[in-house]
Amino acid sequence: MSQAPQLPPLAPLDKKKPFAGLTTWQKVLAALPLALIAVGGMIGGALGALAMLTNVKIARTQLSTPVKVIAMLGVALAALIVYLAVAVALFGALN
């Protein structure tokens, strides 16, 4: 029975320069969830920031480029869905 390949541990994320060492396309996809700030205010900004940090970690993995792109777009979409769910719940609770 074969074991799954072991990935090396990720380098710690520099909180002051999270985009350091990333290519342009990785920076764009990593920052994409921050667009939630424009429509979601503080809630959207918090979710966008968490999704951005997740995307930066994905960008630093050893995955192939197509898998990284799909994963990073998936994280951005998941952040949008969570934001919409929170917005609907808050709207329902306040009305």
Side-chain angles (χ1 to χ4, degrees), residues 22-55:
L22 299 181
T23 63
T24 303
W25 71 266
Q26 289 173 327
K27 290 175 186 177
V28 169
L29 285 180
L32 182 64
L34 292 178
L36 286 174
I37 294 171
V39 294
M42 186 171 66
I43 295 170
L47 288 171
L50 287 173
M52 181 207 68
L53 291 174
T54 302
N55 276 346

Side-chain angles (χ1 to χ4, degrees), residues 30-74:
L32 182 64
L34 292 178
L36 286 174
I37 294 171
V39 294
M42 186 171 66
I43 295 170
L47 288 171
L50 287 173
M52 181 207 68
L53 291 174
T54 302
N55 276 346
V56 168
K57 288 184 178 187
I58 291 170
R60 296 186 189 284
T61 64
Q62 298 296 321
L63 298 171
S64 67
T65 300
V67 173
K68 284 182 187 181
V69 169
I70 292 168
M72 292 170 82
L73 289 173

